[in-house]
Amino acid sequence: MHSSQSTYSVFLDRVKAAQVEQVTLHPNRIVYCLKSEWGGQCYHTQPVGPRADLMALLQQQGIPFSQDDVAPDSRSAETATGLLGLVLSAGMLAGTLAWLWKLSQAGGVGVGMGVGKSNAKVYSQEKTKGKTKITFADVAGVDESKQELQEVVDFLANGEKYRQIGAKIPKGILLVGPPGTGKTLLAKAVAGEAGVLFLSMSGSEFVELYVGVGASRVRDLFNRAKRQAPCIIFIDELDAIGKTRGNTAIAGNDEREQTLNQLLTEMDGFDGNEGVILIAATNRPEILDPALRRPGRFDRQILVDRPDKSGRIAILQVHARPVALGDDVDLEAIATQTAGFSGADLANLVNEAALMAARNNRQAVLMADFQEAMERVIAGLEKRSRILTPIERQTVAYHEVGHALVGALMPGGSKVTKISIVPRGLGALGYTLQMPNADRFLLLEDELRGQIATLLGGRSAEELIFGKVSSGASDDIQKATDLAERAVTQYGMSQSLGPIAFEKPGAQFLEGSHTRRSISDAVAVEIDQQVKQTIDQAHAMALQILQLNRDLLESATQQLLAAEVLEGESLQAILKQVEAPENLEAWLAG
Ligand code: ADP
Ligand code: MG
Ligand code: ZN
């Protein structure tokens, strides 16, 4: 019968999908035919891996098979070989088989491994013997993330304690943060601390050429994990499979969707109390499917951010441990000069410096080596536009202090709790954190004015100090304008226009989907004027406050530049000194 060529993996897929009618096994060739409802076509393929494994699979799937152990083309040759030759080749064959068998038992390189099997890398305590295992001591500068993960270690190590009291152990933890901040490292450290098995797989490894493979890999991974509990499943680069479904019409996307659906199903099908915890990492949380983040799945998110100065010192110390350092090396000075570096950048820096010293035949790494390495690394990084020039740093510092000083005087029960000029997340060069004291559902008129002024405080500080503004305030201005417009068109807070809503709400659960009612040109002009007036007044007030507190603005900015982060008592001590202009109350009251 005519048969066409097929790959072994396609064959396996078809076997598993119960499409195969019957199989004939030749020594170097497998011939199989599909069931008539799948076209009845016959194929041939080359076997991969031990035949015993395949036979077990066929038996399990209930597919009839027969063996034809004499290769069609060797029949005549065989009769011609002498007795000795026969014995020899039989012996060699047995040897090869035994070798293959061993390899497959050891779970070695791809042999005997089905396509649908997850090829997760397994790090167990035995496997890492010899190498030192990774613990929290190897991860520095991300103390908050470590603290949150400490809890997970406890779940894994002392699960009984939680089960007894009836507590539900979380099943999914998502590590989010920029590349190179130590997400993968942290996940390994959790396994190392808890002393459990660590099954690691990258998102892209699930999705490969063959349809249906991703989903079955997910299934296999979870089955393995459940058998080996307590353990950690780690999915790196989750975004490769976790992208929002259904927003592209590209074929082949189906495969990813199926894989994602399987992942969601598996996550619903086990609970953390079985001793399996799923940790995933991504640096693109914004594109993840919302279904992944809902409670019961990845409901815990842990931010792993770029380190601040003290964090950078700690990371440098970790990586300098095995390195011979000269007496003149000042890790703190290096940390000061490396704002914006991630953990991976710092690791790279230490290594570059060590290489430099070795190249110069030195016994120890000197500060000069670090200086030179820093220049190299920064030159590389600047292309990625992360490292701020000194003038940019200054601008950001004045800007953030401006927000904080203005915000300190505004009503509304929220307090400035932190100012930072460590570049964070995606895009922000610095930030000022304002924490509300309680949940607020209503915004009073004066609070609204206060918020607008606070938003404009950053830009106002830049104007005051530099006499010109940077592009960094665009987001603030957007937000301020938005607030001012809502005050007029939705909240009816304008004197001249009165309580008329000029916008109709759009979709219920989506913010900002308002549509404008039909309005006359005159009203449109009036709205524009009101918005402009609100903004102008808030801007003037912000400038006035900063002018009045100019010395404080200067000294606080210098402090921020030195420390990179201001928070706690030292910040409150600064904010307490802010003086209010006389006309503040009157402006707030409108
Ligand atoms: P991510 O997964 O977040 O992209 P990795 O965990 O792969 O980053 O980090 C890459 C390397 O950078 C690590 O192996 C480690 O050497 C170094 N590194 C990153 N972050 C840290 C950190 N916080 N402490 C110590 N080393 C770190
Ligand atoms: Mg990683
Ligand atoms: Zn700002």
Side-chain angles (χ1 to χ4, degrees):
M1 189 190 277
H2 172 74
S3 62
S4 0
Q5 174 82 28
S6 112
T7 63
Y8 188 67
S9 49
V10 167
F11 164 58
L12 281 184
D13 283 347
R14 286 170 170 162
V15 166
K16 284 178 192 155
Q19 298 176 352
V20 176
E21 176 79 52
Q22 56 96 7
V23 180
T24 311
L25 305 170
H26 302 281
N28 293 312
R29 199 174 144 96
I30 296 169
V31 180
Y32 66 97
C33 299
L34 296 183
K35 290 181 179 161
S36 54
E37 68 257 39
W38 295 99
Q41 169 70 331
C42 292
Y43 297 88
H44 60 264
T45 183
Q46 242 79 50
V48 178
R51 180 179 284 189
D53 285 7
L54 176 61
M55 281 161 51
L57 176 66
L58 292 173
Q59 223 146 28
Q60 183 198 330
Q61 297 282 340
I63 298 171
F65 61 92
S66 56
Q67 297 193 63
D68 183 355
D69 264 336
V70 187
D73 44 6
S74 68
R75 264 168 230 256
S76 51
E78 214 172 70
T79 45
T81 27
L83 188 63
L84 187 65
L86 204 78
V87 171
L88 259 184
S89 67
M92 268 170 63
L93 191 71
T96 326
L97 270 179
W99 178 72
L100 271 176
W101 177 239
K102 249 193 181 151
L103 208 59
S104 72
Q105 270 188 326
V109 230
V111 176
M113 210 174 254
V115 181
K117 291 252 182 70
S118 72
N119 40 1
K121 293 181 212 58
V122 181
Y123 302 88
S124 67
Q125 301 316 82
E126 302 94 70
K127 286 249 169 86
T128 49
K129 220 191 288 172
K131 281 187 247 164
T132 43
K133 65 174 184 183
I134 294 172
T135 66
F136 279 153
D138 299 303
V139 196
V142 282
D143 295 337
E144 286 158 40
S145 326
K146 269 206 292 204
Q147 246 169 35
E148 289 190 63
L149 285 168
Q150 186 61 54
E151 212 180 325
V152 178
V153 171
D154 203 43
F155 290 146
L156 285 165
N158 311 308
E160 203 43 47
K161 187 171 78 185
Y162 294 89
R163 278 189 284 275
Q164 250 169 18
I165 210 165
K168 273 236 168 7
I169 292 171
K171 36 175 140 163
I173 290 150
L174 186 61
L175 303 174
V176 281
T181 47
K183 298 182 292 298
T184 308
L185 197 65
L186 267 172
K188 285 184 187 166
V190 171
E193 290 282 332
V196 300
L197 207 67
F198 184 71
L199 297 167
S200 159
M201 209 156 157
S202 170
S204 57
E205 286 169 350
F206 285 109
V207 191
E208 274 177 19
L209 215 52
Y210 307 114
V211 177
V213 171
S216 68
R217 279 193 179 158
V218 171
R219 219 174 300 133
D220 183 63
L221 181 63
F222 277 81
N223 283 339
R224 270 173 78 181
K226 278 184 226 166
R227 280 199 304 273
Q228 298 177 318
C231 71
I232 291 175
I233 301 179
F234 178 56
I235 303 181
D236 213 350
E237 319 294 346
L238 179 67
D239 42 280
I241 46 171
K243 259 184 251 164
T244 306
R245 285 164 294 184
N247 56 359
T248 40
I250 305 166
N253 232 36
D254 263 9
E255 169 64 357
R256 217 201 60 236
E257 283 193 15
Q258 277 179 22
T259 310
L260 175 56
N261 284 336
Q262 188 65 39
L263 179 64
L264 296 176
T265 313
E266 292 289 345
M267 286 197 79
D268 290 343
F270 81 103
D271 70 281
N273 291 18
E274 289 173 32
V276 180
I277 288 189
L278 187 58
I279 301 182
T282 181
N283 42 41
R284 308 185 59 194
E286 69 285 347
I287 63 166
L288 288 187
D289 198 283
L292 272 174
R293 306 220 242 164
R294 68 134 227 248
R297 294 196 181 130
F298 287 107
D299 41 9
R300 291 224 178 167
Q301 289 193 32
I302 298 181
L303 179 68
V304 188
D305 222 328
R306 284 197 178 78
D308 57 16
K309 186 171 155 190
S310 60
R312 290 197 299 276
I313 297 177
I315 295 174
L316 285 169
Q317 278 163 351
V318 166
H319 289 280
R321 239 187 264 151
V323 176
L325 293 184
D327 291 338
D328 70 332
V329 173
D330 181 353
L331 292 183
E332 187 177 342
I334 298 170
T336 310
Q337 292 173 58
T338 47
F341 273 48
S342 69
D345 295 330
L346 292 168
N348 183 21
L349 174 70
V350 173
N351 192 48
E352 282 285 332
L355 290 176
M356 206 81 69
R359 204 172 305 143
N360 293 323
N361 301 319
R362 273 199 274 278
Q363 302 295 318
V365 186
L366 302 181
M367 195 64 179
D369 298 317
F370 274 101
Q371 289 296 352
E372 205 175 326
M374 221 164 342
E375 277 161 35
R376 283 191 169 200
V377 174
I378 288 177
L381 289 177
E382 255 167 9
K383 292 190 203 105
R384 287 193 262 140
S385 74
R386 253 296 159 198
I387 306 306
L388 302 182
T389 62
I391 190 80
E392 280 171 335
R393 259 185 109 228
Q394 262 188 17
T395 309
V396 174
Y398 279 112
H399 179 107
E400 299 305 334
V401 173
H403 279 310
L405 296 192
V406 176
L409 292 179
M410 297 303 156
S414 60
K415 200 165 126 185
V416 179
T417 54
K418 185 171 178 178
I419 322 177
S420 158
I421 52 167
V422 182
R424 287 275 140 142
L426 308 147
L429 300 177
Y431 62 89
T432 303
L433 212 60
Q434 231 179 350
M435 295 293 265
N437 298 334
D439 270 3
R440 294 298 306 268
F441 300 101
L442 288 173
L443 202 55
L444 297 176
E445 218 178 323
D446 58 342
E447 294 169 2
L448 196 117
R449 287 201 187 88
Q451 281 194 4
I452 297 174
T454 307
L455 281 166
L456 295 173
R459 178 199 149 100
S460 304
E462 290 182 44
E463 276 174 73
L464 197 65
I465 301 293
F466 299 103
K468 55 189 172 195
V469 293
S470 72
S471 60
S474 70
D475 188 50
D476 296 337
I477 294 173
Q478 193 73 44
K479 282 192 193 132
T481 314
D482 224 45
L483 268 181
E485 190 173 307
R486 287 219 304 263
V488 178
T489 60
Q490 288 174 38
Y491 309 149
M493 285 180 181
S494 147
Q495 293 286 330
S496 63
L497 289 163
I500 299 172
F502 295 100
E503 310 233 311
K504 282 189 272 209
Q508 201 177 357
F509 294 109
L510 299 175
E511 269 190 32
S513 66
H514 289 251
T515 50
R516 201 156 263 200
R517 283 177 203 277
S518 54
I519 48 172
S520 69
D521 288 353
V523 172
V525 169
E526 182 62 21
I527 290 176
D528 288 347
Q529 270 170 2
Q530 288 285 317
V531 170
K532 181 161 170 27
Q533 194 188 337
T534 310
I535 297 275
D536 282 349
Q537 285 176 356
H539 183 204
M541 180 50 65
L543 271 175
Q544 204 184 336
I545 292 170
L546 293 175
Q547 231 142 18
L548 188 66
N549 295 281
R550 183 156 181 156
D551 291 346
L552 189 61
L553 176 62
E554 284 291 350
S555 63
T557 302
Q558 293 315 319
Q559 271 190 54
L560 180 60
L561 280 167
E564 292 192 351
V565 179
L566 289 181
E567 58 189 331
E569 275 171 26
S570 56
L571 175 63
Q572 296 314 320
I574 293 170
L575 297 181
K576 242 183 262 152
Q577 299 173 47
V578 185
E579 272 180 62
E582 286 159 17
N583 54 347
L584 178 67
E585 291 303 322
W587 168 72
L588 282 171

